Amino acid sequence: QVQLVESGGGLVQPGGSLRLHCAASGRIFSTNTMGWYRQAPGSQRELVATQTNSGTTTYADSVKGRFTISRDNAKLTVYLQLNSLQPEDTAVYYCNLNQVSDPNSYWGRGTQVTVSS
């Protein structure tokens, strides 16, 4: 099985920045996709950004140019740099992992990001 643990969330003012971390452990294969999803109150969970082990990235249009995803494969860790945060970015951010060799999709417990003045 796989375990994902997020950290780095918190309260920030509009225009501020946060850096989220997600550490993976367990049965991790070299070929995988890790990413971040978020769910705001009253909204469905949506994709924020993903990155494959080889570096290919995907971003939601709403965060392009503001958020940056990165990985440290040796540490089995994925990061999300959130810049120019807006109140609309307020949500619980969840780490996700998928791999071809495992049909299961894994999720962390989430970390709260609140953008408010």
Side-chain angles (χ1 to χ4, degrees):
Q1 65 272 22
V2 174
Q3 291 178 298
L4 303 173
V5 180
E6 304 101 330
S7 62
L11 174 64
V12 65
Q13 294 183 329
S17 298
L18 287 172
R19 185 171 176 83
L20 307 183
H21 304 71
C22 174
S25 62
R27 193 170 175 81
I28 310 297
F29 297 92
S30 59
T31 302
N32 63 71
T33 299
M34 297 184 70
W36 294 91
Y37 291 69
R38 68 185 182 186
Q39 187 166 21
S43 301
Q44 65 182 9
R45 187 173 298 186
E46 64 179 0
L47 181 147
V48 177
T50 65
Q51 187 169 31
T52 68
N53 57 284
S54 60
T56 301
T57 59
T58 299
Y59 291 96
D61 288 340
S62 60
V63 307
K64 286 181 179 178
R66 298 189 299 121
F67 294 2
T68 302
I69 190 170
S70 60
R71 295 176 54 138
D72 185 333
N73 291 332
K75 294 182 178 180
L76 298 177
T77 301
V78 64
Y79 309 89
L80 186 68
Q81 180 68 42
L82 302 83
N83 296 328
S84 302
L85 283 162
Q86 304 168 12
E88 309 90 84
D89 297 315
T90 296
V92 177
Y93 284 70
Y94 296 92
C95 183
N96 170 258
L97 182 148
N98 293 282
Q99 46 195 359
V100 175
S101 300
D102 187 344
N104 299 305
S105 182
Y106 298 94
W107 298 89
R109 295 183 183 276
T111 185
Q112 177 71 48
V113 171
T114 302
V115 185
S116 176
S117 60

